[in-house]
Amino acid sequence: MPLIQNYRELPEDFYTQVWPEPLANARLYALNQDLMTQHHIHLAETDIYQLCRGELPATLQPLAQKYTGHQFGYYNPDLGDGRGLLLGQWLTPNGQAFDWHLKGAGRTPYSRRGDGRAVLRSVIREYLASEALHALAVPTTRALAIVSGPETVWREGPEMRAMLLRVTGSHIRFGHFEWAADQGVDQLKTLADFVITHHYPELLNQADPYAALLKEVMQRTARLIAHWQSLGFNHGVMNTDNMSILGETFDFGPYAFMDDFKIGYICNYSDTGGRYAYNEQPNVGLWNCQVLAQAFQSLIPNENQRNALLDEYIESFNSHYLYLMRLKLGLQNPHPKDKHLIADLLICLDKHRVDFHVFMRSLAQLDTPHECWPQSQDYQAWLKNYQQRLELETLNTNERSQLIRNHNPARVLRNYIAQHIIELAEKGDDQVIDQWRKWLSTPFEDDDSVWTKVPKPTEKGQRLSCSS
């Protein structure tokens, strides 16, 4: 099996070798042919199937990583890979390494009281969401395959056990640095050097590579969350152990692409305090970066230097968010009043509970009033200001319309769509997942199907728990 295991370059207390608990009588429910092509994966389907169900060749060295993290604001020292195993890295022809990680592989020393399993419902949601975000140019982990079988796993009720083969450049999280900092400066330096060598080699020649690393991780995180906000995407559980040092969307749980725009939208019904609400995501990203900066304290002892890097997170988020929102409105050239134009629109959409995705794409046909447009004075006032703002642009009507279509998806993985797919798969349809993956791979394509329309009231605003 052509997988290396570079994570073993780290000291042994960073991980524990664990073999998965195979899934008997499993079926292959999804195989990401696009990812196989892009990463030049030439393994036979049967080989990927065996890996994904946990039947590994003896040449592999699967391991569970140790880390800690803040969960809902509280530090938890007992975290680690509790249901996933790092199988190794796949090398592409250009030498780029991608982790292959088996999720739902069974118990590890870090499972605490968990069973180490995953269920079909949750792995379908991760598989599809990661591919949907990838197609929207949002940094994200991806998934190669899903298997499921008749073994029963109990969550809110009995569900089918499943396993997911996840792919990304690195599974190192903010929480890894929290754990390493607790172990002492030597372990922290060892981890930082490993991350720079394998993931940020361009920083090796920097005068202060540790400060450069912290800055890069923070700015990638800021741009990631700006992208989420522009797409109405709510992650739901932004614990520091769910934050990637590559600035990718990581660990999908009760996420949602919102339906009606709601500034304080909460997709996770376990989040009773709204810590991870949609409008809180930028601030939580900053809070998580503060935790990461604190972990770097012994490598960057100057507090003013660390605070300056945190200020750059704020600047990076604001500038990237304004850039993305301008494109969604068909605006190319910055104007000082754009942030007010954007804020006034979001306040209006929130007040009138307007479908975010359908409304934004409808602006491509500004001369044709859409049924989702609010019939209100505040919207008419905004529309007048927007039309005046368009007069400052050099794009003609067709160019502006195309710009809007290119940045506002028609095909969105709403929660009711994901649930529809899950129900078909649970009934035994092993084609439906990849059929919808292909649909989501072209999100900006014009589509007149029922799936791109404003959902029915009973289909809107579905929320999930962390068990998803």
Side-chain angles (χ1 to χ4, degrees):
M1 179 62 63
L3 292 178
I4 63 171
Q5 186 57 283
N6 63 30
Y7 201 77
R8 284 181 174 268
E9 296 172 19
L10 291 167
E12 290 185 357
D13 53 348
F14 277 81
Y15 58 83
T16 301
Q17 180 165 325
V18 182
W19 286 89
E21 299 171 9
L23 178 53
N25 301 315
R27 290 169 52 191
L28 187 66
Y29 269 75
L31 180 61
N32 192 336
Q33 294 289 351
D34 289 343
L35 185 56
M36 289 187 68
T37 299
Q38 292 157 17
H39 285 193
H40 301 272
I41 299 169
H42 303 301
L43 298 179
E45 182 176 306
T46 52
D47 292 330
I48 294 176
Y49 162 75
Q50 294 288 13
L51 281 179
C52 196
R53 78 178 193 89
E55 197 66 49
L56 308 184
T59 54
L60 291 189
Q61 298 176 309
L63 55 87
Q65 298 175 326
K66 172 59 186 173
Y67 48 84
T68 59
H70 281 77
Q71 298 186 311
F72 287 86
Y74 297 94
Y75 185 65
N76 187 339
D78 298 324
L79 301 179
D81 284 336
R83 60 172 178 167
L85 298 177
L86 180 61
L87 303 185
Q89 293 76 43
W90 176 270
L91 293 179
T92 64
N94 65 4
Q96 190 172 5
F98 288 93
D99 283 0
W100 283 21
H101 188 271
L102 189 59
K103 190 168 184 177
R107 291 180 178 86
T108 78
Y110 316 117
S111 296
R112 294 175 284 167
R113 293 180 297 276
D115 59 18
R117 265 72 168 158
V119 297
L120 183 58
R121 164 179 55 90
S122 66
V123 300
I124 289 173
R125 285 177 54 79
E126 175 156 350
Y127 183 88
L128 292 176
S130 61
E131 288 304 296
L133 288 176
H134 174 73
L136 292 164
V138 180
T140 180
T141 61
R142 299 181 68 187
L144 181 59
I146 292 173
V147 299
S148 185
E151 181 180 336
T152 298
V153 175
W154 288 87
R155 293 296 180 257
E156 279 94 352
E159 299 192 53
M160 295 171 61
R161 184 186 174 193
M163 298 167 82
L164 175 86
L165 194 54
R166 182 164 65 190
V167 176
T168 181
S170 176
H171 278 78
I172 297 176
R173 312 145 189 259
F174 285 21
H176 281 82
F177 281 93
E178 292 185 75
W179 177 81
D182 283 348
Q183 307 311 302
V185 65
D186 290 342
Q187 294 290 64
L188 179 63
K189 185 177 183 298
T190 296
L191 178 61
D193 289 343
F194 177 88
V195 169
I196 291 171
T197 299
H198 286 282
H199 305 297
Y200 294 98
E202 68 277 11
L203 305 181
L204 284 168
N205 296 322
Q206 293 284 323
D208 187 344
Y210 303 127
L213 172 61
L214 182 59
K215 176 180 178 178
E216 183 64 23
V217 173
M218 286 182 177
Q219 294 206 342
R220 288 192 184 197
T221 301
R223 293 192 295 269
L224 171 68
I225 297 173
H227 216 151
W228 289 355
Q229 298 301 105
S230 75
L231 290 166
F233 178 79
N234 191 193
H235 181 278
V237 194
M238 290 174 62
N239 297 331
T240 57
D241 59 297
N242 292 340
M243 302 296 292
S244 163
I245 54 91
L246 298 183
E248 294 182 333
T249 313
F250 196 79
D251 274 352
F252 294 84
Y255 68 83
F257 290 89
M258 69 171 70
D259 300 309
D260 292 348
F261 185 79
K262 185 178 180 181
I263 291 175
Y265 177 68
I266 302 169
C267 67
N268 179 1
Y269 70 66
S270 303
D271 185 9
T272 54
R275 177 180 176 84
Y276 298 136
Y278 168 77
N279 62 322
E280 293 296 332
Q281 291 185 141
N283 290 330
V284 172
L286 176 61
W287 192 93
N288 289 342
C289 285
Q290 290 171 331
V291 170
L292 183 64
Q294 185 66 28
F296 269 70
Q297 183 176 2
S298 59
L299 300 180
I300 311 172
N302 188 320
E303 183 179 3
N304 291 333
Q305 185 182 13
R306 298 196 307 273
N307 288 339
L309 295 176
L310 289 164
D311 289 340
E312 291 190 36
Y313 166 95
I314 298 171
E315 295 170 5
S316 183
F317 172 83
N318 287 336
S319 63
H320 198 55
Y321 178 71
L322 282 173
Y323 167 74
L324 293 170
M325 291 302 293
R326 284 190 189 103
L327 293 177
K328 290 175 75 70
L329 291 173
L331 306 174
Q332 279 191 320
N333 304 313
H335 188 277
K337 293 185 178 180
D338 285 347
K339 62 181 180 181
H340 301 294
L341 182 73
I342 294 165
D344 289 345
L345 172 61
L346 297 183
I347 290 170
C348 181
L349 297 183
D350 176 76
K351 177 181 177 181
H352 300 289
R353 293 293 186 264
V354 177
D355 188 280
F356 181 65
H357 307 287
V358 172
F359 173 85
M360 295 300 295
R361 193 168 172 89
S362 76
L363 295 178
Q365 295 177 293
L366 201 58
D367 56 346
T368 306
H370 196 280
E371 61 183 358
C372 75
W373 291 5
Q375 301 299 312
S376 62
Q377 290 184 348
D378 55 346
Y379 176 69
Q380 291 303 317
W382 179 85
L383 184 59
K384 181 179 179 181
N385 291 334
Y386 176 51
Q387 291 170 324
Q388 291 173 348
R389 173 64 179 85
L390 291 175
E391 293 175 1
L392 303 178
E393 293 287 311
T394 58
L395 297 177
N396 62 40
T397 299
N398 289 336
E399 290 170 334
R400 177 188 62 79
S401 295
Q402 192 58 50
L403 184 64
I404 291 173
R405 289 191 181 93
N406 288 345
H407 291 89
N408 291 286
R411 299 176 173 184
V412 179
L413 183 62
R414 300 174 187 265
N415 270 348
Y416 88 93
I417 295 178
Q419 185 58 34
H420 167 77
I421 299 165
I422 289 165
E423 290 173 3
L424 290 177
E426 288 178 337
K427 293 176 182 176
D429 188 337
D430 56 7
Q431 302 296 316
V432 65
I433 302 171
D434 276 321
Q435 289 170 353
W436 279 91
R437 177 187 60 78
K438 292 174 184 176
W439 186 79
L440 291 164
S441 71
T442 54
F444 303 106
E445 184 173 308
D446 286 329
D447 187 332
D448 198 39
S449 71
V450 66
W451 307 107
T452 63
K453 302 292 191 294
V454 175
K456 300 173 184 176
T458 55
E459 296 168 336
K460 293 181 181 180
Q462 295 184 11
R463 299 199 298 166
L464 298 100
S465 71
C466 291
S467 74
S468 61

